[in-house]
Amino acid sequence: MAAVVAVAALGLFVSACATGGTGARDEGPAGHDPVVAGAATPSASPTKKEPTRQDVVNMVKDDPKVAKAVKDDLKPCVADEYPVDVSYGDVTGGTANDIVVNVMTCSDAVGLGSYVYRMENHKYENVFRAEEPPVYAEIDRGDLVVTQQMYEKGDPVSYPSSEEVITYRWTASHFAVVSSTRNVYSNAVGNGGKSAPAGN
């Protein structure tokens, strides 16, 4: 009889440990919560997942802030593969992961437009756009970094004259520029080795 009581007590102890013993794991790791429309707190429901690539494509197509020219070029390259790069991460400090989207051309992967979507009022809202190609945006240590290649007349697509790298940081309700770097490339490279003629 004593053995039965001991086993029963041990069972109750194990059961008590199994319920509520996960601690912080109940909330999930910070910065990796699944996106939930209507989440009131940073903790997210395990029944919802982040938007898929196709969801993001549809979101861009339905976005009135996206230029018509970008939407017209947003077509599958092969089968149902769209020319979009999608990144999920924290760049605005919201309650769900932000989505950074780059729309490109199929032929040479030139960036046509870059966008940031933030969860606001239970749905994703466009809070940033850059539509001067070639452009590309990415998340770097919590900041938004946008690279814009600059061309002069006669420059081939593969050899821009310069490149501007702008770093944005979210401040309260919008992105603000925190730094800007411009790299000017040699005109002797990429044009058959011919440099610009010297002035007379």
Side-chain angles (χ1 to χ4, degrees), residues 86-168:
V86 182
S87 300
Y88 305 89
D90 182 10
V91 74
T92 71
T95 58
N97 274 339
D98 303 303
I99 304 176
V100 178
V101 187
N102 289 286
V103 179
M104 299 169 290
T105 60
C106 288
S107 56
D108 44 19
V110 171
L112 299 174
S114 298
Y115 310 92
V116 177
Y117 290 90
R118 182 178 194 265
M119 181 68 78
E120 293 183 352
N121 300 320
H122 315 316
K123 64 178 181 178
Y124 276 105
E125 297 286 349
N126 186 332
V127 294
F128 178 89
R129 62 177 174 152
E131 295 178 324
E132 250 185 84
V135 63
Y136 196 89
E138 56 190 333
I139 300 172
D140 183 10
R141 289 169 291 186
D143 290 333
L144 178 69
V145 178
V146 179
T147 302
Q148 176 91 49
Q149 292 180 326
M150 317 295 286
Y151 290 86
E152 294 181 1
K153 187 176 180 180
D155 286 345
V157 174
S158 54
Y159 292 100
S161 292
S162 61
E163 180 180 79
E164 190 169 18
V165 181
I166 305 174
T167 300
Y168 295 87

